[in-house]
Amino acid sequence: MKVMLLSRPGQPLSLVERTLPAPAAGEVLLRVAACGVCRTDLHVLDGELPQAHYPIVPGHEIVGTVEAVGEGVASPRVGEQVGVPWLGETCGTCFYCRHDQENLCDNPVFTGCSRDGGYATHVLAKAAFCLALPKALYPDAAQAAPLLCAGLIGGRALSLAGDGERIGLYGFGAAAHLLIQVATSQGRQVCAFTREGDAEAQAFALSLGATWAGASTQRPPFELDAAIIFAPSGELVPLALRAVRKGGSVVCGGIHMSDIPGFPYRLLWEERRLVSVANLTRHDGHAFLAAAASAKVVSHVRRYALEQANEALDDLRRGALQGAAVLIP
Ligand SMILES: [Zn+2]
Ligand SMILES: [Zn+2]
């Protein structure tokens, strides 16, 4: 098998040959059909996540076919297509696992961060944390890959944002381009906020159904019920708080963000809420995949060969992509 390995933060990934492993009890061995490139991978690359172990094979938006199963695995079966998301495994016994908040588990394993991920031809995964992606519903693995993080985390952020009708999305990349399709299918209006002068991203948002698109420093044409921030810039927090109505919510959807600058208390006053989204639960996975299927979400992807992982990461960092980058081994 081949992997793109990150030896330590700040290094480019390098192509490495490995012996094909046998799945241990509770594991499956997948042949990777596609693996999405997520902004979180850049944080792993830059050494910004305390959870990360090195050396590591990044990648946590994996679509693959089961090639072998370990002892005790009844599902998925050999030949079935599944998705492997960021949440690779939880302890099952901590306070959070026992209280239906496995996304906050005290001893989690994260795919492509603390266990090897999908920038590879093959990957091992815990069977119980794989999500079903039947080939009949998801014939194109590259299309399905971004749903597994950009989609799922966006879905969790939207549920924390509440059921308001007017939603702002700050940062219009892989997550926002999927989420806008779900939100508009639910009858919501979406305002898209991008970097100043990013006419291309604004046009992309409008083409996907945004009611309004503009720079993040601009005021939207109406007060928002909620805003979700996908861009990793803390300076967006006061801007988003300023744009939401009384009692509205601002949800930070990223795993890492630059420092939030000081802001006047009146921006938070009147019961505005500021929350972050951490990881996902398996329930989020099933719920989002169902919502995406009923909204007939279409992922806009740019495909790269496995060996082009560095190029894909670079394009994502430079904002040179519309939608999502996906590696095809
Ligand atoms: Zn736990
Ligand atoms: Zn991700």
Side-chain angles (χ1 to χ4, degrees), residues 170-171 193 216-217 224 226-244 248-254 256-268 272-276:
Y170 285 76
F193 298 83
S216 47
T217 46
L224 303 172
I228 302 172
I229 304 178
F230 291 118
S233 322
E235 69 215 26
L236 295 174
V237 169
L239 293 174
L241 281 169
R242 192 184 67 175
V244 300
S249 301
V250 172
V251 182
C252 299
H256 185 269
M257 191 180 241
S258 57
D259 287 351
I260 301 171
F263 57 85
Y265 177 59
R266 64 177 162 74
L267 292 184
L268 190 61
R272 289 180 182 82
R273 293 183 309 139
L274 176 61
V275 292
S276 66

Side-chain angles (χ1 to χ4, degrees), residues 284-310:
D284 294 328
H286 302 306
F288 180 79
L289 290 174
S294 82
K296 298 192 167 53
V297 165
V298 176
S299 313
H300 293 251
V301 298
R302 188 184 294 176
R303 296 161 204 250
Y304 298 80
L306 175 63
E307 295 78 2
Q308 293 175 298
N310 290 306

Side-chain angles (χ1 to χ4, degrees), residues 90-97 105-107:
T90 55
C91 75
T93 56
C94 74
F95 173 86
Y96 300 99
C97 284
C105 174
D106 283 332
N107 292 295

Side-chain angles (χ1 to χ4, degrees), residues 52-329:
H53 295 185
Y54 301 93
I56 188 80
V57 179
H60 57 269
E61 296 182 341
I62 308 168
V63 180
T65 303
V66 179
E67 280 209 338
V69 301
E71 201 189 311
V73 175
S75 169
R77 294 187 191 168
V78 171
E80 285 180 350
Q81 179 173 272
V82 295
V84 182
W86 171 249
L87 189 73
E89 192 179 356
T90 55
C91 75
T93 56
C94 74
F95 173 86
Y96 300 99
C97 284
R98 285 184 286 112
H99 290 83
D100 210 18
Q101 290 180 290
E102 66 179 3
N103 60 308
L104 301 178
C105 174
D106 283 332
N107 292 295
V109 175
F110 296 123
T111 312
C113 180
S114 55
R115 92 178 264 156
D116 283 341
Y119 287 18
T121 55
H122 295 78
V123 67
L124 290 171
K126 281 283 169 185
F129 288 80
C130 291
L131 299 168
L133 292 175
K135 279 177 187 159
L137 280 176
Y138 302 93
D140 182 354
Q143 279 273 322
L147 299 177
L148 292 163
C149 184
L152 298 191
I153 299 286
R156 185 172 176 87
L158 188 62
S159 58
L160 287 183
D163 51 15
E165 283 173 15
R166 295 170 162 189
I167 307 291
L169 301 178
Y170 285 76
F172 204 83
H177 101 277
L178 297 172
L179 196 59
I180 189 174
Q181 299 177 54
V182 173
T184 54
S185 82
Q186 295 167 343
R188 309 194 207 215
Q189 287 184 287
V190 173
C191 291
F193 298 83
T194 72
R195 279 185 263 220
E196 189 99 42
D198 192 347
E200 209 180 331
Q202 290 167 15
F204 184 45
L206 292 170
S207 77
L208 290 173
T211 304
W212 174 91
S216 47
T217 46
Q218 281 178 266
R219 295 262 190 162
F222 41 74
E223 280 193 310
L224 303 172
D225 296 313
I228 302 172
I229 304 178
F230 291 118
S233 322
E235 69 215 26
L236 295 174
V237 169
L239 293 174
L241 281 169
R242 192 184 67 175
V244 300
R245 64 163 170 79
K246 289 183 278 189
S249 301
V250 172
V251 182
C252 299
I255 193 169
H256 185 269
M257 191 180 241
S258 57
D259 287 351
I260 301 171
F263 57 85
Y265 177 59
R266 64 177 162 74
L267 292 184
L268 190 61
W269 170 239
E270 296 169 322
E271 302 194 348
R272 289 180 182 82
R273 293 183 309 139
L274 176 61
V275 292
S276 66
V277 164
N279 315 315
L280 72 145
T281 64
R282 281 171 279 182
H283 173 77
D284 294 328
H286 302 306
F288 180 79
L289 290 174
S294 82
K296 298 192 167 53
V297 165
V298 176
S299 313
H300 293 251
V301 298
R302 188 184 294 176
R303 296 161 204 250
Y304 298 80
L306 175 63
E307 295 78 2
Q308 293 175 298
N310 290 306
E311 194 183 313
L313 287 160
D314 218 51
D315 287 349
L316 175 61
R317 193 189 292 282
R318 290 185 297 114
L321 283 167
Q322 297 296 5
V326 177
L327 303 182
I328 311 289

Side-chain angles (χ1 to χ4, degrees), residues 23-34:
E27 285 185 340
V28 292
L29 173 70
L30 305 179
R31 173 183 288 276
V32 179

